[in-house]
Amino acid sequence: MKLRQLIFWSVRLTGSCAGAILGFYLPMSLMVAFLEIGYEQALPWLLLSAVVGLFAGGFAVGKLLRLHRKR
Amino acid sequence: MSYIGVHLEVCGVIPFNWGNTSLVVVSGDGPNVCGHALIKVGFYYFHIAGLASRPYFMPEQGYRRYLDESRKTELFRRPVYLPDPEGAQRKLNELSVDPWYWFGIPNNCVSFVEELFFAGGADESILSNCPVRWR
């Protein structure tokens, strides 16, 4: 694997992780409005949102990197 | 929403029997494979269950109702010796006033139980934050 490819995938992986963290914690800040909601009830939705964030983060970073390369 | 206990009102608080303290771990809901930790003090169980709500407590019948309505099973319980019961009581009063914010890996049900154990002088903690492994 070329160094350039390695850097590309590392940055993309970092974007995925950041997306997953944002996907988990952003909806949580909205759910805080429902004070009495149990965390175990919210957990499946938070995990689902984290998975969406994981893919969206990786995709967005990949797209940005490709745009940057084209310039 | 199933029964999860009631909030402890500090004004009317009486010292609990900290000489009879146990760690109680019950099964988790849905994707929560780590289970849920509670602390039993005398006849009362304390835990956090909300995303941003004050801790809950329940007596023995309430605990049975909680298990029943939430379709949970008790995985294990074990006694924990607290050399400083006054410290634990103070901590419980302090934690009962403000909402407990659940943040996933930090500040979860385990952290709540750990804080009370530490305040009571017990060196009980779990690095993985997964209560099912806290035997």
Side-chain angles (χ1 to χ4, degrees), chain A residues 24-25 28 31-32 34-44 46-47, chain B residues 1 7 28-29 31-32 36 49-53 56 72 102-103 106 109:
Chain A
F24 189 83
Y25 285 104
M28 197 189 289
M31 284 179 185
V32 164
F34 306 96
L35 281 176
E36 295 301 314
I37 191 172
Y39 78 85
E40 287 193 298
Q41 274 88 56
L43 197 60
L46 294 174
L47 288 176
Chain B
M1 195 173 150
H7 295 301
D29 286 348
N32 178 12
H36 179 68
L51 279 177
S53 63
Y56 295 91
K72 286 178 181 288
W102 183 84
F103 289 135
C109 60

Side-chain angles (χ1 to χ4, degrees), chain B residues 24 28 36 38 44 48 62 77 80 95 97 102 116 118 125 132:
Chain B
V24 180
H36 179 68
L38 303 93
Y44 296 96
I48 57 110
R77 65 172 65 202
V80 174
L95 293 176
V97 180
W102 183 84
L116 290 170
F118 285 144
S125 66
V132 286

